[in-house]
């Protein structure tokens, strides 16, 4: 990763940490928690690398709306 990607990754992680902030104790199984972590990492990867940005942003908004 070059410096720009690192800064973008950090910025996106910081913003998403307010939304995706569940811990292992919030899940009934370790597999559910690992799936959650994988989903979050996929979202971050897509946003950092400009992959399916609109779809990914919709996914984030859907998740946020479920929290309300």
């Amino acid at each position: 990763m070059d410096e720009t990607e690192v800064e973008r990754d950090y910025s996106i992680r910081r913003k998403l940490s307010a939304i995706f902030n569940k811990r292992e104790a919030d899940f009934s199984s370790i597999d559910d928690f690992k799936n959650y972590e994988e989903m979050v990492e996929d979202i971050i990867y897509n946003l950092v690398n400009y992959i399916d940005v609109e779809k990914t942003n919709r996914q984030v908004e859907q998740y946020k709306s479920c929290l309300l």
Side-chain angles (χ1 to χ4, degrees), residues 3-57:
E3 190 173 324
T4 305
E5 286 176 318
V6 171
E7 289 173 12
R8 183 164 170 75
D9 183 275
Y10 176 76
S11 175
I12 290 169
R13 284 180 188 279
R14 193 176 70 241
K15 289 176 186 174
L16 292 179
S17 69
I19 301 165
F20 296 97
N21 54 12
K22 290 187 177 183
R23 304 282 182 243
E24 186 176 340
D26 297 323
F27 294 88
S28 59
S29 74
I30 190 70
D31 288 336
D32 290 341
F33 177 63
K34 290 192 179 291
N35 289 337
Y36 172 79
E37 285 185 314
E38 186 175 339
M39 176 191 70
V40 173
E41 287 301 317
D42 287 346
I43 289 169
I44 292 167
Y45 180 84
N46 286 352
L47 294 175
V48 168
N49 294 290
Y50 304 99
I51 300 169
D52 294 329
V53 174
E54 287 183 35
K55 179 181 175 185
T56 304
N57 283 328

